[in-house]
Amino acid sequence: MSSIANKKGFGATVWDYMTTVDHKKIGVMYLIAGTFFFVLGGIEAMLMRIQLMKPNNDFVSAGFFNELMTMHGTTMIFLAAMPLLFAFMNAVVPLQIGARDVAFPFLNSLGFWLFFFGGIFLNLSWFLGGAPDAGWTSYASLSLYSEGHGIDFYVLGLQVSGAGTLISGINFLVTIVNMRAPGMTYMRMPLFTWTTFVSSALIVFAFPPLTIGLALMLFDRMFGANFFDHTMGGNTIIWEHLFWIFGHPEVYILVLPAFGLFSEIFATFSRKRLFGYSSMVFATILIGFLGFMVWAHHMFTVGLGATANAIFAVATMLIAVPTGMKVFNWLLTMWGGSIKVTVPMLYALGFIPSFVAGGVTGVMQAAAPLDYQLHDSYFIVAHFHYVIVGGIVLALFGSAHYYWPLMFNQMLSEKLGKVTFWLFFIGFHCTFFVQHFLGLMGMPRRVSTYDAGQGLDLFNMISTVGAVLMAIGVITLVVNVVITAVKNEKVGRDPWGDGRTLEWAIPQPVPFYNFRQTPLVRGLDTYWIEKQEGNEEGMTYAEPLSDIHMPNNSILPFMMTVGLFIASFGALYNMDADKPWSIYLLVGGLGMLFVCMFIRSFKDDHGYHVHVEEILAEEERLYGKKGGND
Amino acid sequence: MDMNKQFTAQTWPDHPEQATLEGKNKFVGFWIFLACEVVLFASLFATYLALKNRGPASMGEEFTTQNLFELPLVFVMTMVLLTSSLTSVYAMYHMKNHNFKGTQTWMGITVILGAVFLALEIYEFNHYVHLGFHYSQSAFSSAFYTLVGTHGAHVLLGLCWISSLIIRNSKRGLNLYNAPKYYVAALYWHFIDVVWVFIFTVVYLMGAM
Amino acid sequence: MMRKFKKWRLVALLATMTVFLTACGEEYLSTLTPAGKVGQEQFNLLLLATAIMALVIIVVCIIYFISFIKFRRSVIGEDVIPKQVEGSHTLEVIWTVIPIILLLILAVPTVMATYELGDTSGMDAVDENGDKRALTVNVTAKLYWWEFEYPDLGIVTSQELVVPTNENVYFNLIAADVKHSFWIPAVGGKMDTNVENLNKFYLEFSEESARLKDGVFYGKCAELCGPSHALMDFKVKTLKREDFNAWVTAMQNTQNRTVAADVQAGEEAFVANGCIACHATDAIATTPDDAYASNALGPNLATFGDRNRVAGVLDHTEEEVVNWLQNSETLKPGNLMPMYDDVPKEELEAIAAYLMSLSVEQE
Amino acid sequence: MAHHEEVIVRNTTEFQYERQRRADQMKMQVVTFALMIFLTLIAFIAVNAGFSPYYVTPIILLFAGIQVVLQLYYFMHMNEKNMGLISFFMWSGIFITFITMLCFVTIIWWNTAW
Ligand code: HEA
Ligand code: HEA
Ligand code: CUA
Ligand SMILES: [Cu+2]
């Protein structure tokens, strides 16, 4: 197997990506697919905002609005935010811990394809008879009542992409547990690695309830089970619990890696060690832990009783404490540092007040009796967009700028980046700040329109204008990416000059086998230490240069997913009496899956070795000299 | 480490399943997967408990846990599955001693016991369905079949998995590439047993009272 | 000293906030102008919470701006390597303890209010004659309309809830088809109407609604329930107890009302077109006592003439009634009433006139 | 990944010792198994004997708990060293199981009158 990627045709490149098990390439694929879905979700949001621009608008129909709203939430959470975070986890974490790759490269690829095809499946519903329309929470009574196949697309699509997420979660856990370079103890791991670790653990525990919930719903719709049919003894509240036992940890699954990314950015551009590192780690774990004990704060108005509400209210409030620890640690990281306002830092600076504002409204909602007023009103919409957009999306945009040189060896334009930031940031506050008041003024969420003369017109207009600004911001970002790609100026290693962690020590472009020799980690911020000691090489190696063992590429993950994709259509149409052919799809798709699994398990796959001469040749090719660090 | 290398009992490492990085990854990854399965079954158990004996007004007394379950059959099933857990321990014992034949044989016995268990379960389900207690009969029936059936599906998967291990490796012999495969399959089998312990306690015994 | 200062700041903050918050929103709809005990309590909690949160944001922003202003690279110089501090235990303790204290300040009234608002024992209280002391209303939420039954009074109405002021009114809430949520923003927080469980809660209405813009408070459905979720409004009329009693008596007398001569044609058309199959025209409750969810197919129209809106959202005019009868599906997508677009317009107008005459408030 | 080959060269004494240790361990497993069978038997008998569920339920749940711990720690070797992380994950899962079940048996049908 030739490892050296020389000039290739388009087809060969596509094939390369379809079969790759390289975490760096998979990271790029997550980035592309995630961006695609983000833009899709954003367009859905824009359509909603246009509809809500003025009272009694009829830009879209009520039914279509519900589809937009449902797909916006689902797409953004499952298909945009999470994959984009996975993009950075894939691109960065193995390098941060000095690993060759993730623990299960094959599964990494499988995870990506499952997510991707799950997302495609879900979005095909637009063309195949209607998208899901029961909200991203898909509460059981409405989703069972909903006609057509929308909900089935939701259930099967999320099931498939959820499986991919679960696989990725386990993969990152094992990677971080087993593949750290010598010397990288747990308390020397960069914070992004730590948050990836905790977030993956949350995935492992939070996704099974969703899987079960979705399965129960599928059984109700497909096989006449009665889990949620109260006339048959079922109970729809079961769905609500299962969904939120998943759903609440899910928001921390999203926000913790974002915290990690910001931690890296703050330390780098304050030229200072992260303040209170160990308490940051502790807070991360604590948030993860508490995150599992508060889910019922989404159900205060369901009527669980005063005692349950009181317990969950207080438990929820507790989360403010570890989160506050983090906020103050970031502030103190800047304090006494040397703050350079680059674009990533700008995003980090914008993040603090935005996220705190979103967090504290969360605590307000945690006060159960107050939540009786706030629940299902626009106040909630304002809260979660403040934490999600002000936390996660800013983190994603900031890290896109921050890690662009690591992933592509190019630097996004700082000038355009600042334009993007200000457009997006102002637009964001404009859109969502007024929504707090809309909620308090009595506007329920998930409404396709509202009547004039209820005092809601002005703020809705402001909100829409803000959304337009955000859209322009996103477009400038895309323009920035295109310009940068066309210019194609290489920037080399540690382009920010202040890189602290191992990923910045690796020469650019990163060879496919990552580090030529496994590095030795001598402390927190190991690259910073080496730089301070004047080590030109940027790292100390833990082993002599020797053959490198690499995993083989494989098309099987792709094929397995295609099998599952086909089978999902079979399952979906199997509910219709008039589509007898669907059973062939189901059986055929599953057959394809099993054949692939059979091949995988009956063929020994030992990977291959890159010999020392090949390593040297590759370095010669990449850097024009051996050794390679410049 | 050459994973296909042939060992003797004397050079065979103490923890063959974790002697390679791949093995170690598989080991940790599989345990984490099991932790994930714990929560998966938790959701099913919780749903079952919430829907136990719930049905439409017309469900009738005969389809409650008290009247439906037959403990003797469940007892036999439990014994069979518990024993199969021990036989897989034997298989692992032989694997650690680098006794490939022992490993294969005991794994084979495990499969047979698992198949007996599965057959009994199918018989049981079939019996209930004939009584009229079918999947759509009530919320309770749906929850019961889904919980116990998911366990049954795990048994089936375990059977397929272990049998294909036995077949695929029959020519290869024991090495560091397939030792972790045997090991995690055995772990899986124990886990199935753990779940069953709760099923017979929570579903059958607590139901029969 | 410090304490006093803090308190003073809090009061000032509260005052400005109150002014600012109440400046927005309409009185009949906004949670910021509470017209009842429950809403007031929730509003107080809102003020307290907002004050605490404002404090948090201010503190964070102060540290944030100072560090940003003082420690920019352009200020301190390009080549400075800052001291690599590890952390500070004192600070850690401070910013753990202070938030905990702030949270306690919020948590105590939260828990107290949770129990207070959750206490529906007053619902079953009886006086010496064994009569219920408090008014109870059974609310059934249905696809895009609301039914309000008064089980102890034997009457039923829909779309427009009528309640007495200055006393606790208890609600039994349930949904007949999919889940909805019962919310009167200006009066108090919401409660879901589930399909399988009866929920109970209470509200108190402190103001007569007559002086409001439409003479009513607005109620909303707050749980996504299908395409017309946005249109599932209801109205709340609050009356002094005497007026309420009079209204109840009038309601109880709606059986076999005489229909005015000029709308008799309308009544006949109403019957002839089968409307009567779904819509009752007297206000006598028929729901059996043991079932909470009402099984009425359409809204009770006994007080249609007194309504504020047609079908919850349209203007209350005869033209709009006709419009509704002809276009109900487009006006409220997914609703369960058939369209009568093939019935002659005159007949529909007659029906509209008849429906408008159904009233217990006009003479 | 460059694998560092740790070739195990045991002398015969060591080898015999290892074998013996494994054999002893195996005996331990059989004892564990016997215990599990015993607990199962008692549980079935207790239920069949028709004692009050208030007594029997906690007992059989306790037995189930013991059996699970036996399976995990002896059959699945969670008692060995280097299993700290794995124990942490398993117990976290068990903890979540506990709160989920607690919630589902208490607040799903909070209003049983209906
Ligand atoms: C990234 C996503 C994210 C994050 C991080 C959070 C964080 C929090 N959320 Fe939010 N939430 C959502 C996403 C998120 N949420 C979503 C999507 C929904 C709606 C789902 C739907 O219905 O569709 C929701 C809904 C939601 C509800 C339900 C509302 C309802 O529907 O009725 C509640 C109620 O308690 C809540 C609370 C909280 C709390 C207490 C936090 C805390 O973690 C916040 C902690 C942070 C801070 C408090 C700021 C920093 C702290 C300090 C500076 C220290 C000092 C502070 C104090 C003393 C207060 N959230
Ligand atoms: C990660 C999560 C996430 C993100 C990032 C967003 C981002 C946005 N959301 Fe959010 N939203 C949710 C998660 C998210 N949302 C969830 C979970 C719900 C609840 C759903 C439910 O109730 O079930 C919700 C609901 C929701 C509502 C309430 C709907 C309702 O209750 O009726 C609204 C209304 O304003 C809204 C608006 C927006 C806007 C304006 C953005 C903006 O930030 C979007 C910005 C992005 C763009 C504007 C894209 C720009 C791109 C282009 C315009 C194309 C250009 C392309 C090229 C040149 C190639 N969202
Ligand atoms: Cu009813 Cu929304
Ligand atoms: Cu939450």
Side-chain angles (χ1 to χ4, degrees):
Chain A
M1 161 140 220
S2 159
S3 46
I4 292 155
N6 286 318
K7 279 207 165 41
K8 280 184 189 168
F10 178 72
T13 312
V14 171
W15 177 254
D16 185 37
Y17 273 84
M18 273 162 68
T19 57
T20 191
V21 294
D22 179 349
H23 70 97
K24 299 181 286 299
K25 287 182 180 156
I26 291 177
V28 172
M29 289 199 290
Y30 268 118
L31 190 68
I32 295 171
T35 306
F36 168 72
F37 286 121
F38 179 78
V39 168
L40 211 59
I43 291 172
E44 281 151 9
M46 292 308 295
L47 295 178
M48 280 196 295
R49 277 317 326 164
I50 295 174
Q51 162 69 12
L52 294 173
M53 180 167 70
K54 55 182 209 267
N56 297 323
N57 202 357
D58 58 0
F59 175 69
V60 296
S61 74
F64 187 52
F65 182 90
N66 285 355
E67 297 180 349
L68 285 175
M69 176 263 296
T70 304
M71 288 299 281
H72 164 71
T74 315
T75 304
M76 282 297 197
I77 299 266
F78 292 98
L79 309 178
M82 241 182 341
L84 286 171
L85 290 167
F86 279 151
F88 294 114
M89 293 182 189
N90 267 299
V92 178
V93 168
L95 298 178
Q96 265 191 343
I97 61 174
R100 289 264 171 258
D101 206 316
V102 292
F104 307 110
F106 182 90
L107 290 185
N108 201 15
S109 157
L110 181 63
F112 170 78
W113 290 114
L114 283 172
F115 137 68
F116 185 67
F117 276 97
I120 295 292
F121 183 81
L122 189 55
N123 274 285
L124 283 177
S125 63
W126 288 116
F127 309 106
L128 300 171
D133 59 358
W136 84 288
T137 52
S138 206
Y139 274 12
S141 60
L142 181 61
S143 53
L144 288 189
Y145 187 86
S146 173
E147 282 163 18
H149 280 307
I151 302 298
D152 306 319
F153 275 107
Y154 172 93
V155 168
L156 289 162
L158 287 191
Q159 201 71 289
V160 172
S161 76
T165 307
L166 199 56
I167 288 175
S168 307
I170 296 180
N171 203 346
F172 279 113
L173 280 175
V174 180
T175 306
I176 295 170
V177 171
N178 277 352
M179 315 257 294
R180 281 166 292 134
M184 176 150 301
T185 58
Y186 279 110
M187 289 316 269
R188 284 180 185 172
M189 290 192 324
L191 219 75
F192 182 50
T193 300
W194 254 114
T195 50
T196 301
F197 183 76
V198 176
S199 165
S200 303
L202 295 188
I203 289 176
V204 165
F205 292 125
F207 268 73
L210 178 70
T211 307
I212 292 299
L214 291 172
L216 301 187
M217 184 162 289
L218 189 69
F219 293 165
D220 264 19
R221 288 182 69 98
M222 234 172 112
F223 306 132
N226 301 307
F227 294 102
F228 308 126
D229 180 354
H230 69 286
T231 59
M232 298 297 280
N235 187 316
T236 58
I237 313 299
I238 289 177
W239 166 267
E240 294 185 25
H241 279 292
L242 288 176
F243 185 86
W244 288 119
I245 291 176
F246 147 78
H248 186 79
E250 166 70 12
V251 305
Y252 295 113
I253 291 171
L254 294 175
V255 90
L256 287 180
F259 287 171
L261 289 166
F262 278 131
S263 301
E264 307 291 330
I265 294 176
F266 275 120
T268 303
F269 295 107
S270 302
R271 218 179 244 176
K272 194 159 154 274
R273 187 191 144 103
L274 193 67
F275 192 85
Y277 171 85
S278 40
S279 73
M280 285 296 244
V281 170
F282 173 70
T284 309
I285 297 172
L286 197 61
I287 293 175
F289 187 69
L290 287 173
F292 273 97
M293 287 181 283
V294 301
W295 77 85
H297 66 214
H298 295 274
M299 300 168 66
F300 282 147
T301 64
V302 169
L304 304 179
T307 307
N309 279 3
I311 292 173
F312 280 105
V314 175
T316 303
M317 289 179 188
L318 278 181
I319 297 193
V321 177
T323 318
M325 279 156 76
K326 289 188 152 259
V327 171
F328 291 114
N329 277 319
W330 287 317
L331 290 175
L332 268 280
T333 305
M334 296 202 297
W335 192 282
S338 163
I339 302 169
K340 183 169 182 194
V341 189
T342 56
V343 172
M345 191 61 180
L346 206 51
Y347 278 101
L349 288 168
F351 153 78
I352 294 240
S354 314
F355 181 80
V356 171
V360 295
T361 54
V363 179
M364 292 168 74
Q365 289 159 199
L370 179 52
D371 188 62
Y372 299 164
Q373 281 287 25
L374 307 178
H375 176 70
D376 262 336
S377 78
Y378 256 79
F379 193 92
I380 307 298
V381 178
H383 155 68
F384 68 75
H385 284 92
Y386 258 80
V387 278
I388 287 183
V389 181
I392 298 153
V393 176
L394 292 187
L396 290 171
F397 285 10
S399 343
H401 289 85
Y402 183 55
Y403 282 123
W404 205 263
L406 183 73
M407 294 175 77
F408 301 106
N409 197 16
Q410 300 165 347
M411 194 73 131
L412 288 173
S413 153
E414 286 280 289
K415 220 182 259 151
L416 262 181
K418 285 182 182 162
V419 174
T420 307
F421 171 78
W422 285 113
L423 280 170
F424 193 82
F425 189 71
I426 294 171
F428 152 63
H429 281 282
C430 204
T431 309
F432 297 114
F433 185 69
V434 291
Q435 290 187 355
H436 293 109
F437 298 99
L438 284 175
L440 292 171
M441 283 152 61
M443 179 162 168
R445 64 189 277 206
R446 294 170 167 176
V447 290
S448 55
T449 186
Y450 52 95
D451 207 358
Q454 299 184 93
L456 307 173
D457 311 7
L458 175 67
F459 284 177
N460 270 302
M461 189 57 172
I462 297 177
S463 188
T464 301
V465 171
V468 173
L469 286 182
M470 274 199 276
I472 303 175
V474 176
I475 291 173
T476 50
L477 179 59
V478 174
V479 170
N480 196 349
V481 169
V482 173
I483 292 180
T484 309
V486 172
K487 267 205 206 146
N488 196 11
E489 283 169 20
K490 301 296 177 199
V491 289
R493 178 167 78 161
D494 192 18
W496 300 107
D498 288 323
R500 306 178 67 84
T501 36
L502 207 45
E503 76 268 27
W504 300 111
I506 199 161
Q508 279 290 355
V510 182
F512 67 95
Y513 46 79
N514 294 354
F515 298 92
R516 67 203 298 260
Q517 295 148 264
T518 307
L520 177 70
V521 176
R522 296 169 53 222
L524 182 67
D525 296 339
T526 169
Y527 182 43
W528 175 262
I529 295 175
E530 302 286 351
K531 275 198 290 189
Q532 290 304 300
E533 293 181 357
N535 179 350
E536 282 290 307
E537 184 83 1
M539 19 180 174
T540 310
Y541 293 120
E543 57 174 18
L545 187 61
S546 55
D547 290 1
I548 293 172
H549 178 235
M550 295 295 291
N552 284 328
N553 282 0
S554 171
I555 190 66
L556 286 179
F558 183 83
M559 300 306 284
M560 284 165 77
T561 313
V562 169
L564 207 55
F565 185 69
I566 295 172
S568 302
F569 276 107
L572 185 106
Y573 287 119
N574 207 19
M575 297 172 212
D576 301 351
D578 62 336
K579 300 202 175 69
W581 43 264
S582 59
I583 191 74
Y584 300 111
L585 283 187
L586 183 59
V587 173
L590 288 179
M592 187 166 161
L593 175 70
F594 287 133
V595 167
C596 293
M597 285 167 70
F598 183 84
I599 297 174
R600 173 70 184 165
S601 87
F602 274 73
K603 234 183 73 189
D604 285 5
D605 179 4
H606 295 303
Y608 66 100
H609 282 90
V610 189
H611 299 291
V612 173
E613 317 80 73
E614 287 173 293
I615 299 174
L616 295 177
E618 174 73 354
E619 285 178 347
E620 177 99 46
R621 189 180 73 81
L622 289 175
Y623 316 118
K625 66 174 170 111
K626 294 182 181 155
N629 281 352
D630 53 342
Chain B
M1 198 175 283
D2 178 6
M3 294 194 292
N4 275 329
K5 183 171 151 191
Q6 293 299 322
F7 288 83
T8 66
Q10 200 152 347
T11 57
W12 187 234
D14 209 17
H15 281 286
E17 78 280 1
Q18 293 186 69
T20 62
L21 179 67
E22 284 73 13
K24 220 178 281 167
N25 285 346
K26 205 167 257 173
F27 178 81
V28 174
F30 196 78
W31 266 104
I32 292 172
F33 170 73
L34 288 185
C36 163
E37 289 258 85
V38 169
V39 183
L40 194 108
F41 274 102
S43 309
L44 282 174
F45 269 106
T47 306
Y48 170 81
L49 285 176
L51 296 178
K52 181 174 162 183
N53 287 343
R54 300 273 170 179
S58 63
M59 180 162 90
E61 268 299 294
E62 79 225 69
F63 296 134
T64 58
T65 50
Q66 280 90 349
N67 295 327
L68 205 58
F69 296 153
E70 287 168 24
L71 289 191
L73 180 67
V74 178
F75 183 73
V76 174
M77 286 163 73
T78 305
M79 287 303 149
V80 170
L81 204 62
L82 277 182
T83 312
S84 80
S85 208
L86 183 72
T87 56
S88 68
V89 170
Y90 268 111
M92 286 309 100
Y93 170 69
H94 289 301
M95 190 190 87
K96 292 208 166 175
N97 280 339
H98 201 263
N99 173 352
F100 185 56
K101 232 177 107 209
T103 314
Q104 293 281 73
T105 315
W106 284 106
M107 275 300 196
I109 294 174
T110 306
V111 168
I112 292 168
L113 287 171
V116 171
F117 173 88
L118 205 61
L120 289 176
E121 184 154 273
I122 292 169
Y123 165 79
E124 186 203 2
F125 280 10
N126 194 30
H127 173 67
Y128 294 156
V129 170
H130 274 285
L131 293 178
F133 184 70
H134 54 88
Y135 192 61
S136 315
Q137 189 263 343
S138 60
F140 167 49
S141 75
S142 305
F144 169 80
Y145 285 117
T146 305
L147 170 60
V148 184
T150 305
H151 175 264
H154 276 69
V155 174
L156 181 64
L157 192 85
L159 291 181
C160 297
W161 183 4
I162 298 178
S163 353
S164 53
L165 271 185
I166 295 176
I167 296 167
R168 90 179 276 285
N169 290 321
S170 57
K171 292 265 153 49
R172 287 183 171 89
L174 205 52
N175 57 31
L176 290 183
Y177 182 71
N178 54 28
K181 289 180 192 268
Y182 277 103
Y183 193 86
V184 296
L187 278 182
Y188 186 73
W189 197 256
H190 290 306
F191 179 76
I192 290 173
D193 214 22
V194 168
V195 174
W196 181 256
V197 168
F198 266 99
I199 291 187
F200 87 69
T201 307
V202 172
V203 176
Y204 291 103
L205 289 184
M206 278 166 65
M209 280 189 288
Chain C
M1 181 61 215
M2 191 61 199
R3 245 224 159 89
K4 225 174 191 166
F5 177 64
K6 229 178 180 168
K7 209 164 169 188
W8 172 84
R9 259 208 325 214
L10 213 71
V11 172
L13 204 69
L14 279 177
T16 24
M17 262 165 30
T18 319
V19 172
F20 178 68
L21 287 180
T22 47
C24 46
E26 301 288 347
E27 241 182 305
Y28 53 84
L29 179 63
S30 174
T31 67
L32 302 172
T33 51
K37 207 167 64 184
V38 173
Q40 187 63 48
E41 180 145 2
Q42 288 159 341
F43 183 65
N44 294 345
L45 209 48
L46 174 73
L47 287 185
L48 174 68
T50 313
I52 296 174
M53 301 316 155
L55 183 75
V56 169
I57 293 180
I58 289 169
V59 170
V60 168
C61 284
I62 290 174
I63 307 177
Y64 171 85
F65 279 115
I66 295 180
S67 51
F68 180 66
I69 290 167
K70 276 179 66 177
F71 300 105
R72 254 168 316 151
R73 197 164 297 177
S74 52
V75 176
I76 64 165
E78 250 330 293
D79 297 325
V80 179
I81 300 289
K83 191 158 164 264
Q84 305 288 312
V85 267
E86 276 195 23
S88 153
H89 282 296
T90 329
L91 286 176
E92 300 283 356
V93 172
I94 292 174
W95 64 54
T96 310
V97 171
I98 293 183
I100 291 181
I101 295 172
L102 290 177
L103 290 176
L104 275 178
I105 297 174
L106 182 61
V108 172
T110 295
V111 172
M112 277 164 46
T114 308
Y115 278 101
E116 191 186 323
L117 301 185
D119 175 17
T120 52
S121 56
M123 192 175 203
D124 305 316
V126 287
D127 60 17
E128 44 298 349
N129 302 331
D131 290 333
K132 288 273 176 65
R133 274 176 194 279
L135 177 67
T136 299
V137 184
N138 292 347
V139 178
T140 308
K142 304 195 177 199
L143 278 167
Y144 321 131
W145 62 283
W146 300 85
E147 177 157 297
F148 307 107
E149 188 206 338
Y150 299 69
D152 306 316
L153 307 172
I155 56 173
V156 61
T157 182
S158 43
Q159 307 292 35
E160 218 167 283
L161 173 68
V162 180
V163 284
T165 51
N166 294 320
E167 57 184 84
N168 284 359
V169 179
Y170 292 85
F171 294 93
N172 285 316
L173 305 159
I174 195 149
D177 29 52
V178 304
K179 179 175 170 128
H180 308 267
S181 187
F182 177 80
W183 187 26
I184 312 170
V187 177
K190 63 188 74 61
M191 189 71 147
D192 291 357
T193 61
N194 297 321
V195 290
E196 64 277 271
N197 286 91
L198 190 71
N199 267 337
K200 298 178 180 178
F201 87 138
Y202 71 89
L203 290 171
E204 191 258 5
F205 304 77
S206 64
E207 275 176 49
E208 283 153 72
S209 57
R211 62 173 195 83
L212 298 173
K213 193 180 84 183
D214 287 332
V216 286
F217 290 104
Y218 280 26
K220 301 269 174 186
C221 173
E223 182 67 55
L224 179 64
C225 51
S228 288
H229 158 63
L231 307 175
M232 196 169 153
D233 281 14
F234 60 98
K235 303 289 178 292
V236 186
K237 197 174 280 174
T238 59
L239 303 172
K240 276 212 282 289
R241 186 71 211 197
E242 309 91 82
D243 299 341
F244 178 75
N245 288 345
W247 178 79
V248 171
T249 317
M251 289 291 277
Q252 285 164 338
N253 293 334
T254 49
Q255 215 161 7
N256 308 323
R257 275 186 288 194
T258 46
V259 175
D262 55 338
V263 293
Q264 248 161 20
E267 185 190 20
E268 279 155 26
F270 187 80
V271 175
N273 280 300
C275 317
I276 198 79
C278 298
H279 296 286
T281 51
D282 64 34
I284 306 307
T286 52
T287 324
D289 279 344
D290 55 335
Y292 288 98
S294 125
N295 46 19
L297 293 171
N300 184 300
L301 298 178
T303 63
F304 187 79
D306 303 334
R307 297 267 165 87
N308 225 283
R309 290 284 193 281
V310 175
V313 285
L314 306 174
D315 281 344
H316 192 248
T317 60
E318 288 188 20
E319 295 81 71
E320 286 296 344
V321 176
V322 175
N323 184 10
W324 166 255
L325 295 176
Q326 288 174 328
N327 304 308
S328 57
E329 177 53 32
T330 34
L331 291 169
K332 241 180 162 177
N335 91 81
L336 299 179
M337 166 154 156
M339 285 216 271
Y340 289 90
D341 43 1
D342 50 353
V343 178
K345 185 121 191 258
E346 304 75 64
E347 211 173 317
L348 295 181
E349 278 163 353
I351 292 179
Y354 161 68
L355 291 178
M356 281 299 187
S357 78
L358 293 174
S359 158
V360 296
E361 288 174 14
Q362 306 145 13
E363 283 325 299
Chain D
M1 181 106 351
H3 296 266
H4 298 288
E5 194 137 349
E6 306 159 29
V7 183
I8 302 128
V9 204
R10 294 195 194 82
N11 60 34
T12 323
T13 340
E14 270 170 355
F15 177 56
Q16 289 305 341
Y17 170 76
E18 284 296 326
R19 284 206 91 116
Q20 189 54 44
R21 197 179 53 79
R22 282 199 279 267
D24 290 347
Q25 212 177 26
M26 193 60 229
K27 266 185 218 119
M28 191 58 207
Q29 315 266 38
V30 177
V31 173
T32 310
F33 175 71
L35 198 59
M36 293 193 323
I37 297 286
F38 178 69
L39 291 176
T40 310
L41 255 174
I42 306 266
F44 271 91
I45 290 172
V47 170
N48 245 2
F51 297 123
S52 157
Y54 288 101
Y55 297 117
V56 179
T57 309
I59 291 177
I60 60 176
L61 281 177
L62 178 73
F63 283 4
I66 296 175
Q67 284 217 41
V68 166
V69 170
L70 289 178
Q71 282 268 3
L72 286 176
Y73 279 83
Y74 292 97
F75 280 14
M76 297 165 84
H77 304 287
M78 240 165 73
N79 56 351
E80 287 173 11
K81 59 179 193 309
N82 291 333
M83 295 292 276
L85 184 103
I86 284 161
S87 307
F88 177 75
F89 270 91
M90 287 311 274
W91 284 109
S92 301
I94 291 168
F95 169 72
I96 293 166
T97 305
F98 179 73
I99 52 175
T100 308
M101 303 261 245
L102 187 68
C103 154
F104 273 53
V105 295
T106 51
I107 52 178
I108 293 261
W109 294 98
W110 58 97
N111 190 352
T112 33
W114 172 241

